[in-house]
């Protein structure tokens, strides 16, 4: 036994076990986040309960017919002694815990909130509500009810409601796409042209180059653009009016008939009548909508496409900035600088910078990049736009630069370690063959150190993609009006604010007014953020592995 301990075998098993436990913990966490997030899009059944003992939330006049309709959201046990005395009488003396249910009842027009918390003992046995539908709306959340009619202008249809409604919803989706195309392409283009025309006039006023001929041309051009915008407004009003006469009539659990305009509907489904294949198709459709649409209802509904786009674009710009700076700094420290007190101080500073809290980098970015460099750029190149700032306000460029500074120590340290692992005999052999130091560095050393450089990039991406605190100061917003990329010159607008998956998680989890409804979106967005980070890292890892295999014969491990 003593010889076995001295051989070091226990430490091998100990380290292997620790690695296994760590991997299982990470995998378990990812599975938990993925399960909590992705099951949100599964069409849960609509259940109906009878109210046997109305008290607490169920004493609300909204439940006057003594029925509750909704989707079972969650359930947990609570001690009996924590319940009000009026509810403790529902249980026998020997019972110590009660089952509390969280039910999503939707229909915000009629209830105080989307959810109610009720004891299971207050309700009868649940019954599947076969004819009840879930209606997804543009605002106001979902609506639960029975389809009883379809209003087509002055005509009320009570037969084939589902097929007629599906046909009109497809037509409404086509109209919405047409409206979005007009707004995003034609109207934005005209607005951009008007803004450029205004800025050109201001620039000429600053330089005292405004002539009568130019003013006439300016007024003519402005009038033409305004006329085009008015025509587009009329066209948009006509498209929107095409849906004004349509509405679906729905009976809710209280027996009220409610009309929901078609222009407020996005989709509907009858979950209790769906087969397994229908549910899988619906789940895939909802997941696709989540990753391909913009958010709604203060980010508590809809998709996260702007946040995905902003996160990926931010990481790419940050990588383009940090890699040359970090690699050049590491090359200088290892290949050119002498090992003296000055270089040792620089290395200590680089190591210490890696431990600085990220919010400090955010304050630095706001003060140096935004207020100092940004205001200077505005004064030199965008004076005609002042006092409205262009680069003197938080934006995508300053966020990328801030993250580049934050991850710079990681790239420097990793690259320098990669340069250290290259044997000096390789350098000496290149110099002996007549190559200069630069040629040796460019053609021999750097290619062999590329896997280590890519490793630094992987670590930088992993840290930068999940940072939130500094971004709150230098460019990220709750809701961006447009993406930082469009069809207008210069096409990539680095001065614009943007959305980020990490900040979106914080906003939905802590800032939304409907936290219960938004909680599953926190899990879904977290899982999506992990997926984006893993995808970026896997791309970098594949590049590193290819380069490592390419230079393996030169001594690279």
């Amino acid at each position: 036994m003593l010889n076995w301990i001295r051989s070091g075998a226990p430490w091998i098993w100990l380290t292997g076990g620790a690695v296994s436990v760590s991997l299982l913990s990470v995998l378990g966490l990812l599975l938990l986040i993925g399960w909590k997030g992705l099951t949100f899009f599964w069409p849960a059944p609509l259940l109906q309960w009878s109210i046997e003992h109305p008290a607490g939330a169920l004493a609300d006049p909204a439940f006057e017919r003594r029925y509750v309709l909704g989707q079972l959201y969650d359930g947990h046990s609570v001690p009996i002694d924590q319940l009000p005395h009026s509810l403790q009488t529902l249980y026998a003396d020997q019972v110590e815990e009660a089952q509390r249910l969280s039910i999503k009842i939707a229909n915000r027009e009629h209830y105080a909130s989307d959810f109610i918390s009720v004891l299971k003992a207050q309700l009868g046995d649940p019954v599947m509500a076969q004819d009840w539908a879930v209606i997804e709306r543009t605002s106001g959340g979902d609506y639960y009810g029975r389809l009883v009619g379809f209003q087509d202008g002055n005509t009320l249809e009570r037969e084939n409601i589902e097929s007629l409604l599906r046909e009109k919803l497809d037509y409404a989706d086509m109209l919405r796409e047409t409206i979005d195309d007009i707004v995003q392409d034609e109207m934005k283009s005209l607005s951009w042209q008007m803004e450029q025309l205004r800025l050109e006039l201001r620039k000429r006023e600053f330089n005292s180059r405004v002539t009568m001929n130019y003013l006439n041309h300016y007024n003519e051009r402005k009038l033409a653009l305004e006329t085009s915008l008015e025509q587009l407004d009329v066209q948009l009003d006509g498209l929107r009016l095409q849906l004004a006469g349509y509405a679906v009539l729905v009976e809710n659990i209280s027996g009220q008939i409610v009309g929901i305009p078609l222009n407020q509907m996005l989709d509907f489904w009858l979950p209790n009548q769906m087969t397994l294949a229908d549910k899988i198709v619906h789940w895939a459709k909802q997941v696709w909508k989540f990753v391909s649409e913009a958010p709604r209802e203060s980010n508590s509904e809809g998709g996260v496409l702007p946040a995905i786009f902003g996160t990926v674009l931010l990481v790419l710009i940050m990588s383009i900035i940090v890699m040359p700076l970090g690699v050049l700094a590491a090359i200088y420290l290892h290949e050119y600088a002498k090992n003296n007190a000055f270089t040792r101080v620089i290395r200590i500073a680089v190591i210490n910078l890696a431990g600085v809290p990220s919010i400090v980098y955010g304050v630095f970015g706001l003060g140096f990049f935004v207020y100092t460099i940004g205001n200077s750029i505005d004064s030199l190149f965008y004076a005609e736009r002042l006092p409205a700032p262009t680069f003197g306000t938080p934006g995508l460029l300053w966020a990328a630069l801030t993250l580049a500074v934050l991850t710079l120590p990681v790239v420097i340290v990793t690259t320098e370690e990669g340069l250290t692992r290259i044997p000096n005999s390789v350098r000496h052999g290149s110099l002996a063959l007549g190559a200069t130091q630069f040629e040796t560095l460019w053609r021999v050393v750097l290619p062999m150190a590329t896997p280590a450089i890519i490793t630094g990039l992987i670590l930088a991406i992993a840290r930068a993609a999940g940072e939130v605190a500094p971004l709150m100061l230098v460019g990220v917003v709750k809701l961006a009006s447009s993406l930082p990329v469009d069809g207008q010159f210069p096409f990539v607008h680095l001065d614009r604010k943007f959305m980020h998956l990490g900040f979106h998680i914080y906003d939905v989890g802590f800032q939304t007014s409907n936290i219960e409804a938004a909680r599953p979106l926190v899990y879904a967005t977290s899982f999506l953020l992990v997926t984006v980070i893993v995808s970026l890292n896997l791309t970098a890892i594949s590049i590193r592995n290819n380069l490592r295999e390419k230079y393996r014969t030169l001594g690279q491990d």
Side-chain angles (χ1 to χ4, degrees):
M1 181 67 179
L2 185 61
N3 293 332
W4 180 70
I5 295 177
R6 289 177 177 176
S7 66
W11 299 109
I12 298 176
W13 284 99
L14 182 63
T15 54
V19 171
S20 301
V21 170
S22 301
L23 291 177
L24 290 176
S25 301
V26 173
L27 182 60
L29 178 62
L30 292 179
L31 290 176
L32 174 64
I33 295 174
W35 175 259
K36 289 281 190 178
L38 295 179
T39 53
F40 168 71
F41 304 105
W42 188 261
L46 279 175
L47 303 176
Q48 181 178 327
W49 293 266
S50 60
I51 304 175
E52 304 293 342
H53 305 280
L58 297 181
D60 193 293
F63 301 99
E64 57 186 1
R65 293 193 62 179
R66 302 179 64 84
Y67 289 107
V68 173
L69 176 75
Q71 296 173 333
L72 183 59
Y73 183 73
D74 195 8
H76 60 277
S77 300
V78 295
I80 295 293
D81 55 7
Q82 294 184 6
L83 300 177
H85 180 72
S86 60
L87 295 178
Q88 292 182 12
T89 58
L90 299 175
Y91 299 90
D93 295 337
Q94 66 272 18
V95 178
E96 298 182 355
E97 290 187 339
Q99 186 73 14
R100 185 183 293 276
L101 305 179
S102 179
I103 302 174
K104 182 178 180 180
I105 56 176
N107 299 16
R108 296 178 188 173
E109 298 90 333
H110 313 298
Y111 306 115
S113 64
D114 281 4
F115 293 82
I116 59 170
S117 182
V118 57
L119 295 177
K120 186 177 181 180
Q122 295 181 265
L123 303 174
D125 294 331
V127 178
M128 297 285 284
Q130 293 295 331
D131 299 330
W132 294 83
V134 178
I135 299 176
E136 183 182 7
R137 299 184 290 180
T138 57
S139 61
D142 295 339
Y143 197 93
Y144 300 159
R146 182 188 289 113
L147 305 179
V148 296
F150 184 80
Q151 189 76 37
D152 185 354
N154 297 325
T155 305
L156 179 60
E157 300 287 346
R158 294 188 179 274
E159 301 292 336
N160 301 321
I161 300 174
E162 295 179 25
S163 59
L164 184 60
L165 181 56
R166 179 63 61 191
E167 177 184 348
K168 294 300 182 182
L169 279 177
D170 293 339
Y171 178 67
D173 290 340
M174 183 190 68
L175 284 180
R176 291 191 184 100
E177 291 179 2
T178 304
I179 292 173
D180 289 341
D181 291 340
I182 294 175
V183 172
Q184 296 297 327
D185 296 335
E186 299 183 38
M187 294 197 72
K188 286 187 66 174
S189 176
L190 292 175
S191 300
W192 180 80
Q193 293 179 45
M194 288 193 67
E195 178 65 12
Q196 296 303 311
L197 192 64
R198 184 188 69 84
L199 294 176
E200 183 181 356
L201 176 61
R202 289 205 63 186
K203 186 180 295 185
R204 284 177 173 267
E205 289 175 347
F206 289 154
N207 299 328
S208 300
R209 293 191 295 113
V210 178
T211 62
M212 290 302 300
N213 290 334
Y214 176 78
L215 284 177
N216 292 334
H217 172 74
Y218 170 82
N219 291 328
E220 292 177 359
R221 182 60 179 161
K222 181 181 178 182
L223 180 61
L225 292 173
E226 291 176 346
T227 302
S228 299
L229 282 173
E230 292 176 357
Q231 293 174 352
L232 288 178
D233 285 334
V234 172
Q235 183 180 355
L236 290 175
D237 291 339
L239 292 173
R240 295 186 180 106
L241 285 175
Q242 293 185 31
L243 299 177
Y246 300 107
V248 61
L249 302 182
V250 182
E251 179 186 3
N252 59 29
I253 192 64
S254 299
Q256 299 174 322
I257 304 298
V258 179
I260 301 177
L262 189 64
N263 55 15
Q264 295 181 11
M265 289 185 59
L266 293 174
D267 198 2
F268 79 99
W269 58 92
L270 281 70
N272 297 339
Q273 297 182 8
M274 300 172 71
T275 64
L276 179 60
D278 294 335
K279 292 182 178 181
I280 293 175
V281 171
H282 176 83
W283 177 84
K285 180 181 177 182
Q286 293 298 109
V287 171
W288 171 250
K289 289 168 65 175
F290 177 68
V291 300
S292 63
E293 293 184 356
R296 309 188 310 270
E297 290 287 292
S298 187
N299 290 349
S300 62
E301 294 180 10
V304 291
L305 176 62
I308 298 173
F309 190 88
T311 303
V312 175
L313 186 60
L314 173 69
V315 171
L316 291 179
I317 296 175
M318 180 275 301
S319 302
I320 293 173
I321 295 173
V322 73
M323 288 307 296
L325 294 177
V327 172
L328 289 175
I331 289 173
Y332 172 77
L333 290 174
H334 190 271
E335 301 293 329
Y336 292 97
K338 296 180 179 179
N339 187 16
N340 51 31
F342 177 71
T343 56
R344 286 194 293 269
V345 169
I346 292 178
R347 287 190 173 90
I348 293 174
V350 168
I351 295 173
N352 288 336
L353 282 175
V356 174
S358 59
I359 189 64
V360 176
Y361 285 99
V363 175
F364 168 77
L366 181 65
F368 180 70
F369 292 131
V370 178
Y371 291 153
T372 303
I373 298 180
N375 287 337
S376 300
I377 293 175
D378 285 349
S379 300
L380 292 174
F381 302 104
Y382 299 97
E384 68 276 6
R385 299 190 180 188
L386 296 175
T390 301
F391 283 95
T393 184
L396 179 61
L397 176 61
W398 306 135
L401 282 171
T402 302
L403 290 185
V405 174
L406 185 148
T407 57
L408 187 61
V410 176
V411 178
I412 293 176
V413 172
T414 308
T415 304
E416 193 170 3
E417 289 179 354
L419 293 172
T420 303
R421 289 200 299 267
I422 299 175
N424 286 329
S425 58
V426 174
R427 297 179 176 86
H428 296 162
S430 176
L431 295 174
L433 293 173
T436 63
Q437 185 176 5
F438 176 78
E439 290 173 338
T440 300
L441 179 66
W442 182 256
R443 296 181 179 274
V444 178
V445 176
L446 277 183
M448 295 176 63
T450 302
I453 297 174
I454 301 299
T455 300
L457 175 62
I458 294 170
L459 297 176
I461 290 175
R463 181 174 184 188
E467 288 291 345
V468 176
L471 299 180
M472 296 171 64
L473 301 176
V474 291
V476 74
V477 290
K478 175 186 179 72
L479 183 63
S481 59
S482 60
L483 295 177
V485 175
D486 58 23
Q488 308 299 331
F489 183 82
F491 310 115
V492 179
H493 303 273
L494 299 180
D495 58 306
R496 289 183 183 174
K497 295 176 174 59
F498 64 100
M499 296 181 65
H500 188 272
L501 284 172
F503 182 77
H504 188 82
I505 294 170
Y506 163 76
D507 177 70
V508 173
F510 299 98
Q511 301 297 314
T512 183
S513 58
N514 195 357
I515 183 62
E516 286 293 336
R519 184 187 302 170
L521 292 180
V522 175
Y523 289 105
T525 309
S526 301
F527 183 73
L528 186 59
L529 177 60
V530 173
T531 303
V532 170
I533 296 175
V534 170
S535 300
L536 292 172
N537 285 341
L538 287 178
T539 303
I541 288 172
S542 63
I543 296 174
R544 181 188 64 181
N545 291 341
N546 291 334
L547 293 173
R548 179 176 292 171
E549 186 66 27
K550 179 179 179 180
Y551 296 107
R552 184 181 299 275
T553 57
L554 296 179
Q556 186 70 13
D557 56 3

